[in-house]
Amino acid sequence: MAFKKFSILMNLFVTYFLPFFLLMTSLSLAENDHESICQSTIDPSYCKNMLANQNGNNNNIYDNGRFSFQKSISQTQKFLTLVNSYLQNTNTLSQPTIGALQDCNFLTQQSLEYLSNTFTTINQTSNSNNLLPSSQAEDFQTILSAVVTNQQTCLEGLSQTSFDQDLKEELSSSLSNDTKLHSVSLTLFNKAWVPSKKTITSWPNNKHNFNFHNGNLPLKMSKKAQEIYDHAKKHGHGRKLLQNNADSSGGDGSVLVSDIVVVSQDGSGNFTTINDAIRAAPNNSLASDGYFFIFVSEGVYEEYVSIDKTKKYLMMVGEGINQTIITGSHNVVDNFTTFNSATFAVVGQGFVAVNITFRNTAGPSKHQAVALRSGSDLSIFYSCSFEGYQDTLYTHSLRQFYRECDIYGTVDFIFGNAAVVFQDCNIYPRLPMAGQFNTITAQGRTDPNQNTGTSIQNANVKAADDLAPNVGSVQTYLGRPWKQYSRTVFMESFIDGFINSAGWCEWSGDFALSTLYYAEFNNTGNGCDTSNRVTWPGFHVLVNSTDAAAFTVSNFLSGDNWIPQAGVPYLSGLNN
């Protein structure tokens, strides 16, 4: 009888408890196994060696993650100190080198802040209750993706300069190792603190903000803003755009404005320059405070505008494309870095621009010359124009949305590594220099764990007026892979017949052709035929709407959470 009971117990153990025990053991091993943890990083051997250097090799994934972040912060501080040591003695350095080092200083300070904020949050979680709310996790994924981008941007700027080779090698070597380290931190964050991926919705979702139509922007103003607005109306400013909605209850469609100022070159406004108006804006505003509203009246503003991180939730509205124009001509030939060549640069969160032309007039012979650079998280550009040649629009980092904009350029003229959606935009390749070809996009994702990419939906891709008579002699492509994991999608767009039938162009030989992600979905026009497209492993013709829906405003940007507050129209999902 005793043997029979023992046999029954053993059967129960083997049938039920042993598999559970083995499963939990395997999960524990996987959780602690550096081989498994590091496999999805860009340099697994670096990751394993780095994690092996901490005290005790059996730390779980959360301890490994915290250790990696501490090391990332320490290394970033060391690199910043190194950069500043060079900037303290600039007598022997050229202006391009100084510019590159200043870019690195700015970007590294930003990265240090992002890493520190993330570490503060994850250090407060317990191993038993570690997952962050999905929206917070997405915020941190975004800024950690930007940390990796910042390192790469710094490296790009240094590579454009010619200064002491030993110094360049010291900085580049440090950057290379730090980039691997930040990649480990990003990967471990995704594994340990990010909830399972949200469900991708594939059904059409035509959610718009209907109150912004016919050029009217409904405003819900403070008393002070109302007084300034009324004064502006008396002097003829704002009649074409602003629709007084001050008595609005603040329901769907109203735009909360905390203050309003007018920029006018004739002296009838509050300021005569855009930069003066920006300086007057409060620091570190919250979305709930409402927008600091800057109305820029008609005129050509020859200003280099830079909106720093403290100037949050600015809304800048002009009188229309080609009426309110902000213009400059900085470029790399004249010793500016690409990053610092921008006529207009914005970093402050929640920036919104409406009815403005951003222009760089350097011309094709000056190569990289940026009209606008955005590293502003949750930034929106509605009914704007971006004019340049090579590198016109620099979507540098974080989350961005462009709606009903015109974009002109030649080589790589939409580039960067933001998570960005272009919707209902007109894309106009121009006539390049002799011997050049056009590439519309050059997306810069360097790590497969970054949540970045360029999504182009409902666009019109047509030749600009200067290119139209010459389309037979100029090759134009949808894009080329600037970086290893470049990711770009064209969907539900009109593509005219001048686009090369291959669609996409190599960067250099077989570089990135198997690691990139390029896709096309439900496009129309004579240039949409995919039968002769490239056959790269990373190129896809999407037939499943669920796959395409991953790159919509709702899914790729979580745009339903932040775009409505700006009052601009948008499409959440796919078309009907």
Side-chain angles (χ1 to χ4, degrees):
M1 181 65 69
F3 177 79
K4 186 175 182 181
K5 288 183 178 179
F6 177 76
S7 178
I8 291 172
L9 289 172
M10 285 299 296
N11 285 335
L12 287 171
F13 178 77
V14 171
T15 304
Y16 297 103
F17 298 107
L18 182 59
F20 178 77
F21 174 77
L22 291 174
L23 174 61
M24 295 308 296
T25 301
S26 65
L27 288 174
S28 177
L29 287 173
E31 189 178 72
N32 299 327
D33 179 21
H34 294 165
E35 181 83 34
S36 173
I37 289 172
C38 293
Q39 199 55 47
S40 57
T41 63
I42 57 175
D43 192 333
S45 61
Y46 172 87
C47 174
K48 286 183 286 185
N49 290 335
M50 187 271 290
L51 293 180
N53 288 330
Q54 62 183 307
N55 294 327
N57 291 333
N58 294 319
N59 297 323
N60 59 43
I61 192 169
Y62 312 108
D63 292 334
N64 283 320
R66 294 185 184 101
F67 172 77
S68 180
F69 271 94
Q70 287 176 312
K71 195 167 179 63
S72 278
I73 292 168
S74 175
Q75 289 302 112
T76 303
Q77 289 172 327
K78 288 180 181 178
F79 183 75
L80 183 59
T81 300
L82 181 62
V83 170
N84 286 337
S85 70
Y86 294 141
L87 284 173
Q88 288 172 2
N89 184 17
T90 59
N91 294 334
T92 60
L93 301 178
S94 67
Q95 189 56 49
T97 300
I98 295 170
L101 290 170
Q102 289 172 337
D103 289 351
C104 289
N105 174 277
F106 168 79
L107 293 162
T108 307
Q109 286 191 61
Q110 186 183 66
S111 293
L112 186 59
E113 179 181 340
Y114 289 164
L115 290 165
S116 298
N117 289 344
T118 307
F119 178 71
T120 298
T121 297
I122 63 173
N123 206 34
Q124 295 170 348
T125 64
S126 65
N127 293 353
S128 60
N129 185 24
N130 54 75
L131 293 181
L132 297 174
S134 58
S135 60
Q136 186 181 31
E138 184 176 347
D139 289 344
F140 284 123
Q141 279 182 298
T142 298
I143 63 174
L144 294 177
S145 295
V147 168
V148 177
T149 300
N150 286 349
Q151 295 292 105
Q152 189 63 42
T153 305
C154 173
L155 188 60
E156 290 280 339
L158 293 172
S159 69
Q160 290 180 332
T161 66
S162 55
F163 66 105
D164 186 280
Q165 192 62 32
D166 291 337
L167 298 184
K168 181 182 280 192
E169 287 179 3
E170 181 180 12
L171 288 167
S172 298
S173 176
S174 178
L175 275 172
S176 178
N177 286 330
D178 289 355
T179 299
K180 294 175 185 178
L181 176 58
H182 300 329
S183 174
V184 173
S185 296
L186 171 61
T187 303
L188 295 183
F189 177 83
N190 289 348
K191 284 178 174 289
W193 286 280
V194 178
S196 299
K197 292 293 183 183
K198 60 188 175 185
T199 301
I200 301 298
T201 55
S202 59
W203 57 83
N205 185 344
N206 293 320
K207 180 177 179 181
H208 290 271
N209 191 315
F210 287 105
N211 287 356
F212 194 153
H213 62 283
N214 297 325
N216 293 321
L217 178 62
L219 303 177
K220 184 172 184 288
M221 305 183 199
S222 67
K223 183 178 179 180
K224 179 182 177 183
Q226 181 66 50
E227 291 173 354
I228 298 174
Y229 169 72
D230 290 341
H231 177 77
K233 284 183 68 177
K234 289 178 183 178
H235 288 80
H237 301 303
R239 291 176 181 165
K240 296 180 182 178
L241 182 76
L242 304 179
Q243 172 184 331
N244 185 3
N245 195 28
D247 296 327
S248 168
S249 63
D252 183 40
S254 66
V255 178
L256 183 63
V257 173
S258 62
D259 205 349
I260 183 169
V261 297
V262 175
V263 179
S264 181
Q265 292 175 323
D266 65 8
S268 62
N270 305 92
F271 303 98
T272 57
T273 70
I274 295 168
N275 280 304
D276 284 344
I278 292 167
R279 280 189 284 271
N283 291 337
N284 298 313
S285 297
L286 303 175
S288 57
D289 296 331
Y291 289 101
F292 184 84
F293 190 101
I294 302 172
F295 180 77
V296 186
S297 59
E298 183 174 0
V300 178
Y301 294 82
E302 296 183 3
E303 297 186 52
Y304 293 97
V305 179
S306 181
I307 301 176
D308 70 30
K309 67 177 183 178
T310 66
K311 303 298 183 180
K312 299 178 180 180
Y313 294 98
L314 303 187
M315 178 177 282
M316 186 176 295
V317 179
E319 294 206 63
I321 290 174
N322 290 330
Q323 294 183 68
T324 298
I325 301 168
I326 306 172
T327 184
S329 60
H330 287 171
N331 60 85
V332 296
V333 173
D334 292 335
N335 295 326
F336 293 88
T337 61
T338 301
F339 184 80
N340 219 11
S341 70
T343 300
F344 193 104
V346 56
V347 174
Q349 180 173 305
F351 177 74
V352 180
V354 182
N355 286 4
I356 297 173
T357 290
F358 301 92
R359 182 178 289 167
N360 191 309
T361 60
S365 64
K366 294 299 182 77
H367 301 291
Q368 296 97 325
V370 175
L372 179 133
R373 185 192 83 231
S374 177
S376 166
D377 197 21
L378 313 179
S379 55
I380 299 170
F381 298 85
Y382 174 59
S383 188
C384 290
S385 180
F386 308 91
E387 300 177 10
Y389 288 86
Q390 182 171 347
D391 290 4
T392 301
L393 178 54
Y394 196 173
T395 58
H396 180 259
S397 57
L398 305 172
R399 291 164 290 194
Q400 307 179 24
F401 176 62
Y402 296 73
R403 169 83 181 198
E404 297 174 36
C405 292
D406 298 337
I407 310 163
Y408 296 83
T410 56
V411 179
D412 305 336
F413 64 94
I414 300 173
F415 76 113
N417 195 25
V420 56
V421 174
F422 293 90
Q423 196 173 86
D424 289 22
C425 293
N426 298 310
I427 299 175
Y428 296 115
R430 306 175 82 166
L431 184 66
M433 289 195 302
Q436 284 186 328
F437 54 84
N438 287 332
T439 43
I440 294 172
T441 65
Q443 205 282 326
R445 193 168 66 138
T446 59
D447 190 313
N449 295 294
Q450 290 177 300
N451 61 351
T452 56
T454 297
S455 173
I456 298 175
Q457 182 186 22
N458 292 342
N460 287 300
V461 181
K462 298 180 178 180
D465 289 344
D466 60 349
L467 177 62
N470 300 285
V471 292
S473 59
V474 176
Q475 298 300 314
T476 300
Y477 300 89
L478 298 176
R480 60 176 180 164
W482 182 29
K483 301 299 177 185
Q484 188 79 48
Y485 297 94
S486 183
R487 180 161 64 173
T488 303
V489 177
F490 279 78
M491 57 187 186
E492 301 179 321
S493 295
F494 174 84
I495 302 175
D496 214 346
F498 72 101
I499 294 294
N500 186 287
S501 62
W504 308 82
C505 179
E506 298 88 352
W507 184 271
S508 178
D510 62 358
F511 169 74
L513 302 188
S514 61
T515 51
L516 60 78
Y517 184 93
Y518 286 168
E520 298 179 49
F521 174 76
N522 272 11
N523 296 310
T524 59
N526 292 333
C528 80
D529 184 1
T530 59
S531 59
N532 291 315
R533 287 294 195 255
V534 294
T535 57
W536 307 337
F539 172 70
H540 308 271
V541 178
L542 302 181
V543 295
N544 188 324
S545 61
T546 301
D547 294 334
F551 298 96
T552 59
V553 165
S554 179
N555 292 319
F556 198 51
L557 300 181
S558 295
D560 295 327
N561 296 333
W562 55 275
I563 295 176
Q565 71 181 32
V568 305
Y570 75 102
L571 178 68
S572 284
L574 298 170
N575 293 309
N576 289 317

